[in-house]
């Protein structure tokens, strides 16, 4: 329970940072920190944690967007699965080039 609440708080903080950076930098330099968070959790802790983060981040992003609900959730979950496939075939622990390629 402690880890789940920590992951929710971290996701919310990254969402707020992304929102503030969007206000300061404008539309042209908009970083997508939530996808980077999903990729980080996937590489660091595995698929189950990154899927949870992807669902929470997708719900947060979808609830504040004007598009159809579920598009960001679908894209974040797809990113989590794609990162898992890349991690299986390209990422090797202890090898420096695989970190750069990932």
């Amino acid at each position: 329970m402690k880890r789940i609440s920590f992951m929710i708080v971290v996701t919310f903080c990254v969402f707020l940072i992304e929102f503030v950076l969007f206000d300061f930098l404008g539309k042209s330099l908009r970083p997508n920190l939530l996808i980077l968070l999903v990729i980080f959790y996937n590489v660091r802790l595995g698929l189950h944690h990154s899927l949870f983060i992807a669902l929470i981040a997708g719900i947060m992003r979808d609830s504040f967007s004007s598009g159809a609900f579920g598009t960001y959730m679908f894209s974040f979950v797809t990113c989590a699965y794609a990162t898992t496939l890349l991690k299986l075939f390209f990422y090797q622990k202890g090898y420096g080039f695989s970190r750069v390629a990932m």
Side-chain angles (χ1 to χ4, degrees):
M1 188 66 184
K2 194 174 186 182
R3 181 178 272 185
I4 290 173
S5 61
F6 178 73
M7 290 188 332
I8 291 172
V9 168
V10 166
T11 306
F12 184 70
C13 289
V14 169
F15 177 73
L16 286 179
I17 290 169
E18 187 176 295
F19 185 73
V20 168
L21 284 176
F22 175 70
D23 284 344
F24 284 130
L25 298 176
K27 201 171 195 175
S28 62
L29 297 173
R30 189 172 119 183
N32 204 341
L33 298 176
L34 289 174
I35 286 185
L36 292 176
L37 183 72
V38 170
I39 292 170
F40 172 75
Y41 268 101
N42 196 334
V43 171
R44 189 75 177 159
L45 296 175
L47 179 64
H48 296 293
H49 295 289
S50 68
L51 283 177
F52 180 72
I53 291 293
L55 289 176
I56 297 299
I59 289 172
M60 280 185 199
R61 178 74 67 88
D62 280 331
S63 60
F64 286 100
S65 77
S66 61
F69 192 81
T71 55
Y72 285 109
M73 194 176 349
F74 176 74
S75 65
F76 288 155
V77 169
T78 305
C79 177
Y81 279 118
T83 305
T84 302
L85 288 176
L86 286 174
K87 187 172 76 170
L88 284 175
F89 294 115
F90 294 115
Y91 184 69
Q92 298 171 0
K93 287 187 177 182
Y95 188 58
F97 180 71
S98 67
R99 287 186 210 154
V100 174
M102 193 67 173

